[in-house]
């Protein structure tokens, strides 16, 4: 069994081994172990759910997988490469492939910048050879992929609804051709009808573009619809 | 038949600057001691209705129609009279604790103001009640209470706001999105607190997009879309056997019912129906 798993390791877009993370807060009794020896792996095209109450470390786990936070112990592999031991250059090359969309869509775009400009930066970064109309076409295609009208690119974040801006956040992440995406409570601030649209969109994209997704949510029934596997985090030590 | 506490008749809200009708022909009554839930998605005008009920609409908006609270049209009352009623008989618990709470005041102080200035408790009684209220909501007065709103998580901020709602003596409380951004456990406990208010004989007007909140509170509800009331009635009847296609879509969009997006045809059909009046 173990050998079989070793063979398949390269199949995972992200894999974490024996993660341990604890918080040390100020004052007495304030440190808290989030998890000990936690391992998980996500295959391309698969949506894995992460469930647990507030403060149990769901977002922290997402951040550790994306190497935005460091674990106390354990390893994270991106496409089979150990991120924590990889050199800066190697990590930088891989980083765009591992993306995140946030809970509060309004705060994930700079307020003084048109959303089009925010997307333009990514397009230019990824396709330095493009010229003139090419940029606009790429941006329009990105908007279309998340079912948004191209005209919305010329608006400020505040002029868009929560669902629209969350889709732009998704479009921005997709422009990097990610292999893995952490969706951290992407719909907890959105309405039911909008939530249904966004989650269905994520499911379609995971299948079409073979992206592995870690969907973090505190809504179990949502995860039951969207995910093949659900991981539940429990609070180990309840001191806050 | 219970006596109506709040009567809203043909409420219309328009923006003068944009020359646009935001809410049209909204009518409902809330009886003493019952829960009434307004459900709708963002932009459906449900928060505007709440603000109109408390007569605190943004200045650039004009309300038409009548809102009678205990038989008195609030909009026609002089400011001084309104101030007397506000907080003591009628209270609006706004959404978005981020902007509703004072960013430069410790949260314990914000909750204690109600006991100090509205209910006139003496200091010792106040501290005792406050500590009980905080622990009731899973917060600690000496720990979380001594923090500023920005130092608390979204869920904790929401609970502080709820603490204020539980503290006010008003018999009619309008709660706007009391469960937004809460996880399942805190949501259940928030709803339980609201139910406690009901059992104490208070009347609730609850604004939410969460169908499970409506179910838990019971009573009656109305579904809003695009500034109109689409359908209204008894909560259970309405959610178990929705008549309007939009309500049906909303029920099916809930994750436990299959997470099915509302069909574009339904939305398009409603838009054309309204354009034709």
């Amino acid at each position: 069994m173990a050998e079989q798993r070793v063979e398949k390791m390269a199949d995972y877009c992200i894999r974490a081994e024996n993660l341990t993370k604890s918080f040390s807060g100020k004052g007495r009794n304030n440190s808290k172990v989030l998890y000990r020896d936690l391992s998980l792996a996500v295959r391309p095209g698969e949506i894995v759910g992460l469930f647990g109450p507030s403060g149990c470390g769901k977002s922290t786990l997402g951040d550790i997988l994306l190497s935005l936070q460091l674990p106390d112990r354990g390893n994270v592999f991106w496409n089979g490469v150990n991120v924590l031991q990889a050199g800066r250059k190697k990590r930088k090359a891989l980083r765009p492939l591992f993306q995140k969309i946030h809970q509060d869509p309004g705060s994930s775009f700079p307020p003084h910048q048109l959303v089009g400009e925010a997307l333009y930066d990514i397009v230019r970064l990824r396709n330095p050879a493009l010229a003139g109309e090419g940029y606009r076409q790429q941006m329009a295609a990105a908007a279309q992929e998340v079912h948004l009208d191209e005209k919305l690119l010329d608006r400020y974040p505040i002029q868009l609804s929560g669902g629209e801006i969350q889709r732009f956040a998704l479009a921005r992440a997709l422009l990097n051709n990610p292999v893995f995406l952490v969706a951290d409570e992407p719909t907890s601030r959105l309405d039911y009808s909008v939530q249904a649209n966004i989650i269905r969109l994520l499911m379609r994209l995971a299948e079409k573009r073979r992206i592995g997704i870690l969907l973090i949510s505190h809504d179990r029934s949502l995860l039951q619809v969207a995910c093949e596997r659900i991981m539940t985090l429990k609070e180990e030590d309840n001191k806050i | 038949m219970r006596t109506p506490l709040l009567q809203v008749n043909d409420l219309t809200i328009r923006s003068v600057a944009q020359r646009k009708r935001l809410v049209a022909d909204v009518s409902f009554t809330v009886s003493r001691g019952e829960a009434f839930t307004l459900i709708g998605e963002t932009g459906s005008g449900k928060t505007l209705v709440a603000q109109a009920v408390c007569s605190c609409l943004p200045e650039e908006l004009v309300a038409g129609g009548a809102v009678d609270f205990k038989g008195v049209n609030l909009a026609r009352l002089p400011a001084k009279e309104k101030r007397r009623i506000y907080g003591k008989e009628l209270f609006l618990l706004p959404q978005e604790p981020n902007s509703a709470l004072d960013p430069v005041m410790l949260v314990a102080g914000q909750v204690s103001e109600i006991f100090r200035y509205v209910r006139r408790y003496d200091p010792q009684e106040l501290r005792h009640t406050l500590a009980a209220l905080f622990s009731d909501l899973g917060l600690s007065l000496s720990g979380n209470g001594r923090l500023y709103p920005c130092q608390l998580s979204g869920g904790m901020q929401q609970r502080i706001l709820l603490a204020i709602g539980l503290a006010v003596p008003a018999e009619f409380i309008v709660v706007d999105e009391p469960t937004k951004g809460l996880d399942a456990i805190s949501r259940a406990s928030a709803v339980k607190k609201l139910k406690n208010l009901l059992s104490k004989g208070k009347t609730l007007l609850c604004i939410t997009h969460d169908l499970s909140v409506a179910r838990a509170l019971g009573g009656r509800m109305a579904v809003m879309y695009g500034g109109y009331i689409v359908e209204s009635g008894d909560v259970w009847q309405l959610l178990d056997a929705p008549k309007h296609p939009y309500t049906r879509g909303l029920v099916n969009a809930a994750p436990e019912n299959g997470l099915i997006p509302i069909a574009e045809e339904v939305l398009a059909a409603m838009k054309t129906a309204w354009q034709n009046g």
Side-chain angles (χ1 to χ4, degrees):
Chain A
M1 185 67 193
E3 274 174 29
Q4 212 176 356
R5 277 187 65 181
V6 172
E7 268 178 74
K8 283 192 170 174
M9 265 178 195
D11 296 345
Y12 296 115
C13 52
I14 202 153
R15 191 163 58 84
E17 261 182 13
N18 306 328
L19 293 179
T20 300
K21 177 76 180 172
S22 60
F23 265 131
S24 51
K26 282 181 202 161
R28 285 175 289 140
N29 294 334
N30 262 356
S31 60
K32 176 177 170 180
V33 178
L34 292 176
Y35 17 80
R36 285 196 184 90
D37 293 328
L38 183 147
S39 301
L40 85 152
V42 182
R43 287 188 208 91
E46 177 186 45
I47 302 184
V48 175
L50 182 57
F51 174 80
S54 295
C56 71
K58 301 191 293 287
S59 297
T60 308
L61 181 58
D63 284 352
I64 289 174
L65 292 180
L66 295 176
S67 188
L68 299 171
Q69 286 192 49
L70 293 176
D72 299 342
R73 273 197 304 279
N75 285 310
V76 177
F77 297 87
W78 286 356
N79 282 348
V81 178
N82 188 334
V83 199
L84 301 174
Q85 282 164 17
R88 203 171 147 263
K89 238 180 172 173
K90 183 95 187 163
R91 193 160 59 223
K92 209 177 157 193
L94 281 172
R95 190 173 291 286
L97 302 178
F98 296 82
Q99 290 288 329
K100 176 173 181 178
I101 54 174
H102 298 259
Q103 175 175 22
D104 190 357
S107 62
S108 49
F109 280 90
H112 56 273
Q113 200 182 36
L114 298 173
V115 278
E117 290 178 74
L119 259 59
Y120 171 79
D121 288 345
I122 307 288
V123 175
R124 207 177 55 174
L125 201 64
R126 298 287 156 247
N127 313 280
L130 272 182
E133 271 301 291
Y135 288 122
R136 186 75 196 183
Q137 272 169 17
Q138 282 253 335
M139 277 152 57
Q144 219 166 36
E145 188 164 18
V146 292
H147 308 292
L148 284 174
D149 196 322
E150 188 191 335
K151 285 181 202 142
L152 298 180
L153 285 166
D154 301 319
R155 291 207 193 166
Y156 289 99
I158 200 166
Q159 297 168 319
L160 294 167
S161 74
E164 283 165 348
I165 194 124
Q166 193 61 288
R167 279 189 238 187
F168 269 124
L170 188 56
R172 181 172 59 178
L174 291 176
L175 279 172
N176 292 300
N177 291 321
V179 294
F180 177 69
L181 186 72
V182 172
D184 190 357
E185 303 267 15
T187 56
S188 71
R189 289 179 176 268
L190 305 176
D191 300 320
Y192 274 168
S193 49
V194 185
Q195 165 172 287
N197 279 320
I198 299 264
I199 297 294
R200 293 277 168 201
L201 180 63
L202 272 178
M203 291 164 74
R204 272 199 302 276
L205 286 169
E207 200 186 319
K208 194 176 118 202
R209 295 181 58 151
R210 308 301 297 161
I211 305 171
I213 295 179
L214 182 75
L215 180 58
I216 303 178
S217 176
H218 54 239
D219 189 341
R220 194 183 274 280
S221 46
L222 173 74
L223 295 177
Q224 277 163 352
V225 177
C227 308
E228 291 154 48
R229 289 188 287 143
I230 300 177
M231 212 169 91
T232 305
L233 282 184
K234 292 199 178 87
E235 292 200 53
E236 269 210 20
D237 193 350
N238 226 345
K239 288 169 201 153
I240 298 176
Chain B
M1 182 74 195
R2 287 188 265 196
T3 44
L5 191 62
L6 178 83
Q7 225 165 349
V8 178
N9 277 326
D10 296 328
L11 176 68
T12 301
I13 300 171
R14 30 174 89 248
S15 155
V16 184
Q18 290 178 32
R19 294 172 170 228
K20 214 167 142 187
R21 235 175 13 167
L22 303 171
V23 169
D25 308 328
V26 166
S27 306
F28 61 91
T29 47
V30 185
S31 309
R32 209 175 284 265
E34 80 163 351
F36 191 91
T37 309
L38 264 184
I39 275 216
E41 58 183 58
T42 321
S44 62
K46 54 193 194 306
T47 295
L48 288 179
V49 172
Q51 290 174 341
V53 163
C54 298
S55 165
C56 58
L57 276 174
E59 265 178 27
E60 66 271 21
L61 302 181
V62 183
V67 177
D68 291 335
F69 177 67
K70 291 185 178 173
V72 181
N73 191 337
L74 279 181
R76 298 224 181 93
L77 281 183
K80 210 174 163 188
E81 278 292 296
K82 253 195 255 181
R83 215 172 147 63
R84 196 184 56 73
I85 293 178
Y86 201 73
K88 298 191 180 90
E89 293 180 32
L90 170 78
F91 185 75
L92 170 69
L93 201 61
Q95 62 176 341
E96 293 300 331
N98 233 330
S99 54
L101 293 172
D102 187 339
V104 293
M105 189 174 177
L106 298 179
V107 289
Q110 304 192 34
V111 183
S112 78
E113 280 194 331
I114 306 276
F115 293 109
R116 195 171 294 160
Y117 302 113
V118 183
R119 307 188 83 156
R120 311 239 170 234
Y121 277 29
D122 62 56
Q124 205 169 11
E125 196 184 2
L126 186 149
R127 191 162 173 79
H128 189 72
T129 325
L130 206 57
L133 182 61
F134 267 67
S135 71
D136 202 22
L137 287 163
L139 301 164
S140 81
L141 182 59
S142 51
N144 309 118
R146 285 201 207 137
L147 296 173
Y148 292 98
C150 65
Q151 294 172 298
L152 295 173
S153 74
M156 285 178 181
Q157 290 177 355
Q158 188 75 54
R159 276 182 275 169
I160 294 292
L161 211 54
L162 195 63
I164 295 177
L166 297 176
V168 288
E171 62 174 312
F172 183 61
I173 301 177
V174 183
V175 280
D176 197 354
E177 297 280 12
T179 58
K180 207 173 194 174
L182 294 184
D183 67 32
I185 298 165
S186 337
R187 195 165 54 201
S189 99
V191 170
K192 207 170 140 202
K193 296 286 176 317
L194 292 178
K195 286 191 82 162
N196 280 350
L197 285 179
L198 282 173
S199 63
K200 280 184 200 158
K202 299 202 179 192
T203 311
L204 283 182
L205 173 61
C206 180
I207 315 279
T208 183
H209 69 269
D210 192 337
L211 296 172
S212 61
V213 174
R215 270 187 213 274
L217 287 179
R220 290 180 310 127
M221 67 180 287
V223 181
M224 284 189 79
Y225 182 79
Y228 290 76
I229 286 186
V230 174
E231 193 174 358
S232 65
D234 179 83
V235 168
W236 287 93
Q237 254 169 27
L238 205 144
L239 292 181
D240 287 343
K243 292 202 179 71
H244 197 280
Y246 176 76
T247 318
R248 226 174 292 146
L250 203 62
V251 169
N252 288 336
E256 58 273 20
N257 295 334
L259 204 75
I260 302 156
I262 298 176
E264 290 293 329
E265 302 92 74
V266 173
L267 303 181
M270 283 203 295
K271 270 176 202 146
T272 43
W274 291 332
Q275 273 158 13
N276 302 332

